[in-house]
Amino acid sequence: MKLIKKCPVFLLLVSTGLIFTIIGMIGRMSVYSEQEYHPLTTPVLAVMFTGINDGIYPWQVFTGESAQAMAQGNIAQRAPESELEKESGNASEGGQMADVLEAEKEGAEEKETSGERSVSSNTLAKEEMNPTAAETKALGENEEHQEEEDAPFEKIEPARESTKEEIQNHISADLYGDAGVLRAAKYEFSDVDESYFDDALFIGDSRTVGLRDYTDLSEHADFYCETSLTIYKVLEEDFGGQGMVEEALENKDYGKIYLMVGINELGRGTTEEYMAEYTKVVERLHELEPEAKIFVQGVMRVTGEKNSSDAIFNNSNINARNNAIATLADNKQIFYIDVNEAVCDEEGNLISDYTFDQIHLLGAYYDLWKQFLLAHGVTAL
């Protein structure tokens, strides 16, 4: 009793520890049977405290519940939270997985779309960088055409002079070849209607007289033409009271000037002389009407019969002089056109059915000349 009075706290601790030890020992056979216990390192009362930590309290030792029941009760007690956590976790994991899958799908779609855009862009870029053969050809032709337009006009010089024999025999020497004709042919002419000739002036000999008289072009264009006209008289002739060409150009603005002379000059002078006078006339026309397009028309040929029987009025001489005047065409201000394309046969002779004298067209066939002119307009410049 004296010891109890002197050390009550100590005795309380000892008795409490003894009680806890007994509870632990009893509980080891029931509710605490699942608790880890090491006799050498852990006091038996620690089993009770471990049980308390797991939700198994000391008084449950004396209720007779088995450890299995207590464990199931604890599991049941914790189940809602655990299942909720599990479901939440599963849901979270499922959601995360769904998000991942969705993200992967979106990523794949975006990648595919991006890939398509990339392919499309690359294809477009490739197409732009690598145009089709047709586009390359067109581009090359455009560049070539532009270079030709930008290039300064180069005068084609004669290859030689007429020989003494050619002069004596009235042979028009082909001094220029077809260089001028080929260069002039590079221009692409346009189809036009009759109104195109409302500001046109036609200058020529008896053949141009026929164009005036047997077509309706005189309703649109002005004609300064005379039978037997030559290049040497173009600037001096008083055309049937109309006056001179220079006066016409001073009194009216013309957008087109058509010139065809040459058949009457074949027995006169040389190719050089003809070309020199022709050049002087064209330059004067351009000086008087600088904005006008000048159409240098190839001299119409004669029939095959006339060609083979006449030493002067033949197609060889005509072709030589046509080749000469074609060199004047720069395809910008001066253009060479050749109506022989419309009135000659495969051998290059005037079709005999089209003429009454092997030189001039029958009235009905002047429309072929008119149609040729309608197909050779200049509208792009």
Side-chain angles (χ1 to χ4, degrees), residues 76-316:
Q77 185 178 4
R78 293 196 301 266
E81 181 180 359
S82 299
E83 291 298 327
L84 181 60
E85 290 174 355
K86 183 177 180 181
E87 291 176 2
S88 177
N90 290 340
S92 177
E93 291 177 1
Q96 291 176 357
M97 183 60 69
D99 291 342
V100 170
L101 293 175
E102 185 66 24
E104 290 179 352
K105 181 179 179 182
E106 291 178 356
E109 291 176 352
E110 182 177 354
K111 183 176 181 181
E112 183 179 355
T113 304
S114 177
E116 291 175 356
R117 289 198 299 266
S118 178
V119 170
S120 177
S121 299
N122 290 338
T123 302
L124 181 59
K126 185 176 181 181
E127 289 177 353
E128 291 176 351
M129 294 295 293
N130 300 293
T132 63
E135 291 172 336
T136 302
K137 181 179 179 181
L139 182 61
E141 291 176 351
N142 289 338
E143 290 179 351
E144 182 179 354
H145 182 66
Q146 186 63 40
E147 289 177 0
E148 290 177 357
E149 286 188 348
D150 296 338
F153 178 70
E154 294 183 7
K155 183 179 179 182
I156 298 174
E157 298 294 340
R160 60 177 178 83
E161 295 181 354
S162 297
T163 66
K164 183 177 180 180
E165 181 181 359
E166 289 169 339
I167 295 172
Q168 289 176 343
N169 293 304
H170 303 288
I171 296 173
S172 296
D174 188 2
L175 307 180
Y176 294 89
D178 60 359
V181 173
L182 294 176
R183 182 173 66 183
K186 291 182 179 180
Y187 185 82
E188 295 183 5
F189 293 96
S190 303
D191 292 327
V192 295
D193 58 27
E194 285 86 350
S195 64
Y196 176 78
F197 302 104
D198 288 345
D199 62 349
L201 171 64
F202 285 83
I203 304 170
D205 52 33
S206 57
R207 287 166 160 177
T208 303
V209 171
L211 183 66
R212 179 196 65 190
D213 293 345
Y214 292 102
T215 70
D216 60 357
L217 285 179
S218 61
E219 298 178 7
H220 301 275
D222 292 337
F223 281 79
Y224 277 58
C225 50
E226 284 287 349
T227 300
S228 301
L229 183 70
T230 66
I231 192 65
Y232 304 101
K233 294 182 179 180
V234 166
L235 298 178
E236 301 173 358
E237 182 75 21
D238 183 355
F239 290 90
Q242 288 178 287
M244 301 172 66
V245 167
E246 291 190 0
E247 295 173 347
L249 296 176
E250 290 173 354
N251 295 329
K252 184 176 179 179
D253 292 331
Y254 290 98
K256 301 101 183 176
I257 300 175
Y258 291 84
L259 177 63
M260 183 194 276
V261 288
I263 188 70
N264 299 310
E265 297 91 318
L266 288 181
R268 176 180 174 179
T270 64
T271 302
E272 295 97 321
E273 292 171 343
Y274 174 76
M275 180 60 176
E277 189 65 23
Y278 203 107
T279 301
K280 183 177 74 174
V281 170
V282 170
E283 289 177 346
R284 182 56 177 162
L285 294 175
H286 177 61
E287 180 183 354
L288 293 171
E289 201 71 79
E291 298 301 320
K293 303 293 184 294
I294 299 176
F295 292 84
V296 176
Q297 298 185 85
V299 179
M300 190 184 300
R301 301 188 190 113
V302 297
T303 64
E305 182 181 352
K306 182 73 172 176
N307 175 62
S308 60
S309 61
D310 199 309
I312 296 176
F313 296 94
N314 57 58
N315 292 332
S316 178

Side-chain angles (χ1 to χ4, degrees), residues 27-70:
R28 282 279 300 133
M29 294 179 293
S30 58
V31 295
Y32 295 142
S33 61
E34 299 296 327
Q35 301 297 319
E36 291 186 3
Y37 171 65
H38 301 283
L40 298 179
T41 59
T42 305
V44 72
L45 61 86
V47 174
M48 185 194 69
F49 291 106
T50 304
I52 293 173
N53 187 59
D54 292 338
I56 303 174
Y57 301 100
W59 58 84
Q60 291 175 319
V61 174
F62 305 102
T63 62
E65 294 182 74
S66 65
Q68 185 177 2
M70 293 300 298

Side-chain angles (χ1 to χ4, degrees), residues 331-346:
N331 291 343
K332 296 179 181 179
Q333 203 71 38
I334 302 172
F335 302 85
Y336 175 77
I337 56 176
D338 189 0
V339 70
N340 288 301
E341 300 173 17
V343 296
C344 290
D345 58 24
E346 294 179 354

Side-chain angles (χ1 to χ4, degrees), residues 1-19:
M1 294 293 294
K2 292 181 180 180
L3 182 60
I4 293 174
K5 291 181 180 178
K6 290 182 179 180
C7 305
V9 176
F10 173 76
L11 292 174
L12 180 60
L13 290 174
V14 172
S15 59
T16 302
L18 181 60
I19 293 170

